[in-house]
Amino acid sequence: MTIQQVFVIGAGQMGGGIAQVCAQAGYQVTLHDLNEESYERGFQVITKNLTRNVEKGRMTEEEKQAVLGRFTKSLDLQNAKNADIVIEAAVENMEVKTSIFAELDKITPAHTILASNTSSLPITEIGAATKRPEKVIGMHFMNPVPVMQLVEIIRGLATDDEVYEAVEEMTKKLKKTPVEVNDYPGFVANRILMPMINEAIFTLYEGVATKEAIDDVMKMGMNHPMGPLQLADFIGLDTCLYIMETLYEGFGDSKYRPCPLLRKYVKAGWHGKKTGRGFYTY
Ligand code: NAI
């Protein structure tokens, strides 16, 4: 299984970062989003990241131009027809993901690996929306993608060993470290991280301390580089809520109930850094 052509779905914070590291590793990348505006927003972030790399002496102007030259824009899912691997990073919503995967199953050749960057949704269920569940796998990058070392690789119930190995090898080519996990809600990263963030939101909701105090306790007391409320803003409060709902539904345990304050912020459209307002304003 040789991977050359990568098709990334979603030019948001994750999809843009994934497309960037793939192009930097020498892959031909088609970046796909629903409309011109979303695509351009994502592509501008990538260009800005690369320019910063040149300014800091981490790459030359020629290397930057070569990376940008490996990009193709897509606003039509049919463009996935030449992909060796598709990495989906659209919104964290099962209906959206299963409809994308069912479409991809029809569009892409039989050898194409279909990967999802989902933070918590079951890979097995996403795979069941296709006729090739053995080629469906989770490739969970961390935010911000160009900086973070880890990729959780999630085996669905039917994922082939050969597919797992191809994705593991690709992850290493991206200069990241793959960690193998099985398909249970939240996998490992978010099963542990998200209840902590949710508890921090409850702590704020119950008036135990201010948002700054909660973040300070975790930064200075636990040596976390960022407090949980600030981290939630960076992840996106909509994504945090989707993940908590997935844990709650998947385990049926009340310890995973999302904090009402999180729900309220999401309903208000306060989705964190990406919308300019979450627990903090940006
Ligand atoms: P985002 O909101 O920044 O970006 C999502 C992008 O997908 C947007 O540009 C949107 O226009 C596009 N999109 C939505 N529906 C689409 C469709 N049907 N077809 C094509 N494009 C579509 O979201 P973000 O943060 O990049 O999250 C994307 C995925 O990555 C989610 O599944 C999320 O759970 C996962 N993830 C997020 C992390 C984070 O820290 N934000 C970390 C790891 C995974």
Side-chain angles (χ1 to χ4, degrees):
M1 270 185 186
T2 31
I3 296 175
Q4 285 171 335
Q5 298 282 343
V6 182
F7 190 87
V8 178
I9 300 182
Q13 24 179 13
M14 295 307 291
I18 294 166
Q20 182 188 325
V21 296
C22 288
Q24 281 182 247
Y27 292 101
Q28 291 297 324
V29 179
T30 303
L31 180 58
H32 171 86
D33 209 305
L34 291 172
N35 53 54
E36 190 76 39
E37 194 193 340
S38 304
Y39 178 87
E40 281 307 323
R41 203 181 312 127
F43 194 68
Q44 271 170 24
V45 174
I46 295 169
T47 311
K48 219 168 82 191
N49 286 347
L50 295 173
T51 302
R52 198 178 321 119
N53 282 344
V54 174
E55 283 162 6
K56 297 229 160 146
R58 291 194 285 252
M59 74 170 34
T60 64
E61 181 60 32
E62 291 69 41
E63 281 164 342
K64 172 188 152 187
Q65 291 308 330
V67 172
L68 291 174
R70 284 185 211 113
F71 273 91
T72 306
K73 167 166 111 177
S74 166
L75 301 177
D76 182 352
L77 208 55
Q78 292 293 335
N79 295 324
K81 64 180 187 296
N82 297 320
D84 298 313
I85 186 168
V86 177
I87 306 174
E88 170 277 320
V91 285
E92 188 74 347
N93 177 303
M94 188 51 110
E95 271 174 42
V96 173
K97 294 206 193 286
T98 49
S99 99
I100 291 174
F101 274 70
E103 273 299 298
L104 288 172
D105 194 28
K106 289 183 212 143
I107 295 167
T108 56
H111 76 275
T112 308
I113 296 173
L114 304 180
S116 175
N117 179 55
T118 176
S119 316
S120 64
L121 295 170
I123 296 302
T124 306
E125 195 175 333
I126 296 174
T130 72
K131 293 194 180 69
R132 62 176 99 177
E134 71 286 352
K135 292 222 158 51
V136 176
I137 192 161
M139 211 175 171
H140 181 209
F141 290 82
M142 305 292 129
N143 186 14
V145 181
V147 177
M148 300 296 282
Q149 189 62 42
L150 174 74
V151 182
E152 263 189 321
I153 303 186
I154 303 109
R155 279 181 187 267
L157 197 57
T159 310
D160 263 354
D161 286 346
E162 212 191 357
V163 170
Y164 179 83
E165 280 150 23
V167 167
E168 187 179 47
E169 193 189 314
M170 179 182 177
T171 304
K172 287 180 186 159
K173 274 201 193 156
L174 301 178
K175 300 200 177 74
K176 308 262 176 224
T177 305
V179 172
E180 179 179 352
V181 308
N182 285 321
D183 187 21
Y184 282 97
F187 317 128
V188 173
N190 279 312
R191 181 169 177 172
I192 298 172
L193 173 69
M194 214 39 84
M196 184 197 72
I197 287 179
N198 195 45
E199 202 58 33
I201 303 171
F202 267 112
T203 310
L204 179 68
Y205 174 66
E206 290 165 10
V208 179
T210 63
K211 56 181 186 287
E212 291 84 2
I214 293 165
D215 278 349
D216 279 348
V217 167
M218 298 307 285
K219 277 191 290 188
M220 290 185 278
M222 316 299 157
N223 240 352
H224 290 191
M226 202 184 266
L229 299 172
Q230 191 190 2
L231 180 57
D233 275 356
F234 275 71
I235 293 170
L237 301 189
D238 52 340
T239 300
C240 292
L241 180 59
Y242 278 131
I243 298 170
M244 284 313 297
E245 304 270 31
T246 303
L247 292 171
Y248 190 31
E249 196 196 317
F251 292 115
D253 188 327
S254 64
K255 75 178 174 185
Y256 298 114
R257 79 252 172 267
C259 179
L261 188 62
L262 174 60
R263 249 186 233 293
K264 194 180 214 173
Y265 275 38
V266 172
K267 283 201 176 127
W270 297 2
H271 292 183
K273 189 167 176 275
K274 63 185 170 187
T275 59
R277 182 156 196 182
F279 293 105
Y280 298 90
T281 35
Y282 298 89

